């Protein structure tokens, strides 16, 4: 690793960007391609690289953000009127082409219930956003990090974590054994996920069962896991993620240090409310 001496604060920066294109990929996801000269410096680490995305409110020409406040930006943003300050949401970089100053984000379109979903459903070329993203490829927003000695990889994801699972599969080298469970709302979300790894993908179509229900947990419970030392990565709806992790650690005896898990969203709770709750708890 050559980045150990880079101060954490320098690992991220703001990137101003514009929508170049938006298109459906499958029944539930919309791929938005962003461009802008600042993105030539975007240095994502691949895998499940995530960013904070800042969106304007309806009627605003661009997201309202204290871009000149340096490291104090968050305090300034928090102090601003929520009806005016940019909407902040977490998303995965599903593609990056620095040579063309482009990145892609795949948004689950879950209707009009959240500002990011609503925004993605209406995204048009020229729409302006800001990303807070990596300035170096080795950054803490890449969470998929198999420890030394890993003999096989287990992935469990719902549709919000499908871009991350796809990024992980694309990154894994040949010879890695992977077992993946991918829960999606519709059979029309199933697509090819290119990988050099020896991957066995199991798609679970949720249909009319509400998200956060059981298909992912049930499938992992029912599975025969490969022999050898595993590394598990679990992401998606919080309750599901917790249940899968609990099963792997408590019932299958996986070493908890070999399990990376992330609640990407929680049923009935917005990202703002989740952030406020964890700030209150901290
Ligand atoms: C590290 C990280 C990476 C992520 N990457 C992606 C990604 O690449 N693509 C992606 O689509 N999402 C991703 N997410 C999840 C995304 O941030 C949340 O789904 C977010 O809540 C969407 O914001 P919103 O404004 O649409 O809804 P919010 O305003 O946050 O929530 C409004 C309501 O919608 C519900 N809701 C939120 N998301 C969903 C959903 N997917 N399906 C059904 N109901 C929902 C909430 O429970 C709430 O009731 C990621 C999250 C994290 C933490």
């Amino acid at each position: 690793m050559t980045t150990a001496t880079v101060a954490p604060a320098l690992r991220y920066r703001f990137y101003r960007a514009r929508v170049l294109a938006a298109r459906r990929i499958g029944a539930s996801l919309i791929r938005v391609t962003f461009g802008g000269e600042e993105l030539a410096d975007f240095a994502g680490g691949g895998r499940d690289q995530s960013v904070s995305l800042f969106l304007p409110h309806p009627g605003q020409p661009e997201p309202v953000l204290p871009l000149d406040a340096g490291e104090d930006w968050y305090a300034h943003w928090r102090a601003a009127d929520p009806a005016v300050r940019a909407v902040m949401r977490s998303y995965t970089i599903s593609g990056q082409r620095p040579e063309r100053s482009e990145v892609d984000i795949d948004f689950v379109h879950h209707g009009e219930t959240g500002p990011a979903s609503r925004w993605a459903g209406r995204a048009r070329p020229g729409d302006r956003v800001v990303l807070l993203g990596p300035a170096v490829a080795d950054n803490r927003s890449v969470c998929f990090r198999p420890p030394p000695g890993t003999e096989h990889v287990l992935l469990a994801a719902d549709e919000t974590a499908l871009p991350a699972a796809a990024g992980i599969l694309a990154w894994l080298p040949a010879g890695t054994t992977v077992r993946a469970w991918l829960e999606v709302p519709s059979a029309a979300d199933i697509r090819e996920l290119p990988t050099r790894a020896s991957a066995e993908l199991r798609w679970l179509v949720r249909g009319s069962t509400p998200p956060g229900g059981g298909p992912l947990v049930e499938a992992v419970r029912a599975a025969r896991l490969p022999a050898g030392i595993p590394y598990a990565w679990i992401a998606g709806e919080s309750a599901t993620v917790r249940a899968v992790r609990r099963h792997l650690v408590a019932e299958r005896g996986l070493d908890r240090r070999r399990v990376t898990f992330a609640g990407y969203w929680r049923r009935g709770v917005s990202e703002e409310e989740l952030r406020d709750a964890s700030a209150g708890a901290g």
Side-chain angles (χ1 to χ4, degrees):
M1 299 286 161
T2 54
T3 52
T5 54
V6 176
L10 300 179
R11 287 173 185 249
Y12 298 94
R13 54 158 283 192
F14 288 111
Y15 295 93
R16 283 169 294 188
R18 285 175 185 266
V19 173
L20 297 179
R23 66 184 174 97
R24 284 256 168 206
I25 51 158
S28 310
L29 286 152
I30 298 172
R31 174 162 298 164
V32 180
T33 298
F34 297 97
E37 59 191 44
E38 295 182 2
L39 291 174
D41 298 327
F42 188 89
R47 293 162 275 177
D48 55 346
Q49 174 75 65
S50 61
V51 296
S52 291
L53 175 68
F54 296 91
L55 301 168
H57 293 272
Q60 291 177 331
E62 60 185 337
V64 175
L65 257 184
L67 290 177
D68 298 327
E71 290 184 24
D72 293 333
W73 74 267
Y74 186 68
H76 283 84
W77 177 85
R78 286 272 307 176
D81 179 353
V84 175
R85 72 181 187 204
V87 173
M88 174 167 53
R89 292 290 182 271
S90 303
Y91 280 91
T92 305
I93 296 298
S94 64
Q96 61 181 59
R97 295 171 294 283
E99 70 288 357
R100 293 171 64 177
S101 306
E102 289 179 10
V103 300
D104 300 323
I105 291 179
D106 297 350
F107 294 80
V108 172
H109 190 225
H110 57 95
E112 300 284 306
T113 44
S117 173
R118 193 166 49 231
W119 179 91
R122 293 176 170 77
R124 295 290 174 271
D127 289 354
R128 291 157 80 161
V129 304
V130 173
L131 281 70
L132 178 60
V136 293
D138 185 22
N139 62 79
R140 278 174 300 160
S141 308
V142 174
C143 298
F144 180 87
R145 293 179 185 270
T150 298
E151 291 177 332
H152 64 265
V153 170
L154 307 174
L155 304 176
D158 71 7
E159 64 272 25
T160 63
L162 187 55
I168 290 167
L169 285 163
W171 179 85
L172 282 169
T176 317
T177 300
V178 183
R179 187 73 68 82
W181 295 269
L182 306 165
E183 182 185 305
V184 289
S186 160
D189 288 309
I190 298 174
R191 60 186 160 103
E192 194 79 35
L193 300 179
T195 183
R196 290 180 300 269
S198 304
E200 192 182 309
L201 309 188
R202 172 105 194 271
W203 291 90
L204 308 156
V205 176
R206 193 169 61 231
S208 56
T209 315
L216 199 56
V217 189
E218 283 161 24
V220 177
R221 269 182 195 287
R224 273 185 62 157
L225 302 185
I229 302 172
Y231 168 62
W233 177 94
I234 313 160
E237 199 280 326
S238 293
T240 308
V241 166
R242 273 201 310 277
V244 173
R245 176 180 180 265
R246 198 179 311 120
H247 168 68
L248 290 177
V249 172
E251 290 162 39
R252 301 270 192 161
L254 260 69
D255 180 341
R256 62 183 66 240
R257 290 166 302 186
R258 291 191 155 273
V259 181
T260 297
F261 63 105
Y264 274 13
W265 64 286
R266 190 180 303 168
R267 235 173 115 185
V269 184
S270 74
E271 186 168 329
E272 235 110 59
E273 292 162 337
L274 283 175
R275 207 177 301 123
D276 289 348
S278 64

